[in-house]
Amino acid sequence: LGMAAPAALQRSVVSPAGRHTASLIFLHGSGDTGQGARAWIKQILNQDMAFQHIKVIYPTAPARPYTPMKGAFSNVWFDRYKICNDCPEHIESIDSMCQGLTDLINDEVKNGIAKSRILIGGFSMGGGMAMHLAFRFHQDLAGVFALSSFLNKDSAVYQALKRNESALPELFQCHGTADDLVLYSWGEETNKMLKSLGVSASLHTFPNLNHELNRTEIEKLKSWIVKKLPVEAPKA
């Protein structure tokens, strides 16, 4: 008997106001939940991040022992040996979560949404997870965004891109210069490295912003989302 299929991820969903023609998957930071990330953005904008045609999905990472918290259970997308950019990745946990998130992407495809109409991204660890998912396994997605995120120096993402021939999703990155958890320099290095490997990547810098989101950043992200997932003209 094979491994039991992972249970479907719990998710909080903001439905589109009109006809659903595109989907956005937002991955929360470590220790948070889909509900929590949605509430945080709602608090910043004074309303849900909602669109006419885009369904917004906030999945919750399953609880697992998390090494940086001395093995205490936490809602994290993967484990880390420690929070730094020059230690090895915990590739086993990253890859098993890529499987669970692939199921989520496939659910949208089954609902009639083309992969070129799906965006994935997230905050902090969620952005790191999204980069693994998009650049290693789903290079046909519309794009990927990473807010206050980074990849380790010898990331599996870089290894995969060194061997890659196909077109890649565009990356939208934001980072605060005052971030004391995920250093700005880590985000900047990730951006440079991905660019050197053929990714079309932008990095938006927020002076004095710590490890958090702010309104300007979310408004910028929303504009980029609509640019990548424009409203489709109804078929004649």
Side-chain angles (χ1 to χ4, degrees):
L1 282 171
M3 289 282 291
L9 297 169
Q10 285 184 313
R11 53 197 88 165
S12 179
V13 175
V14 183
S15 297
R19 195 168 72 91
H20 175 209
T21 66
S23 297
L24 168 72
I25 299 168
F26 189 105
L27 306 179
H28 62 75
S30 58
D32 201 356
T33 60
Q35 202 71 45
R38 176 182 174 177
W40 189 21
I41 289 175
K42 192 170 178 174
Q43 185 196 342
I44 294 169
L45 294 176
N46 293 317
Q47 60 185 21
D48 264 315
M49 180 166 73
F51 302 89
Q52 190 60 33
H53 60 297
I54 306 169
K55 172 180 172 185
V56 185
I57 306 162
Y58 295 94
T60 295
R64 58 161 301 134
Y66 188 45
T67 304
M69 284 170 53
K70 300 187 169 45
F73 271 71
S74 185
N75 293 89
V76 289
W77 297 109
F78 49 87
D79 199 8
R80 284 187 168 128
Y81 296 104
K82 51 179 194 278
I83 300 173
C84 65
N85 74 337
D86 55 2
C87 56
E89 287 174 324
H90 196 288
I91 200 69
E92 210 178 328
S93 61
I94 292 173
D95 287 357
S96 76
M97 187 49 65
C98 282
Q99 190 47 61
L101 288 164
T102 292
D103 293 345
L104 185 61
I105 292 171
N106 289 342
D107 282 350
E108 292 310 294
V109 174
K110 281 180 202 133
N111 287 334
I113 305 300
K115 279 179 78 180
S116 60
R117 298 281 294 163
I118 300 174
L119 275 178
I120 186 156
F123 175 72
S124 193
M125 174 185 261
M129 186 75 235
M131 289 188 278
H132 273 274
L133 196 66
F135 294 128
R136 291 175 58 211
F137 301 103
H138 298 281
Q139 298 179 342
D140 46 356
L141 289 171
V144 56
F145 61 92
L147 316 173
S148 312
S149 308
F150 73 104
L151 291 170
N152 294 23
K153 281 189 196 303
D154 62 349
S155 175
V157 173
Y158 303 149
Q159 309 311 320
L161 293 181
K162 280 175 185 154
R163 301 187 295 271
N164 176 66
E165 296 300 315
S166 57
L168 295 163
E170 184 187 324
L171 172 69
F172 177 92
Q173 238 183 308
C174 295
H175 216 116
T177 57
D179 196 326
D180 52 13
L181 184 67
V182 174
L183 304 186
Y184 177 77
S185 60
W186 300 357
E188 196 177 34
E189 198 173 303
T190 300
N191 187 273
K192 283 194 181 123
M193 193 68 188
L194 289 170
K195 269 189 180 144
S196 76
L197 293 166
V199 175
S200 161
S202 57
L203 174 60
H204 304 268
T205 303
F206 293 84
N208 310 319
L209 185 68
N210 203 315
H211 195 63
E212 58 195 338
L213 295 171
N214 74 9
R215 188 170 184 137
T216 318
E217 179 181 15
I218 295 171
E219 296 291 2
K220 260 195 176 149
L221 174 64
K222 280 186 74 172
S223 307
W224 180 78
I225 289 167
V226 175
K227 194 181 86 193
K228 297 309 289 180
L229 300 175
V231 176
E232 282 185 334
K235 295 184 177 62

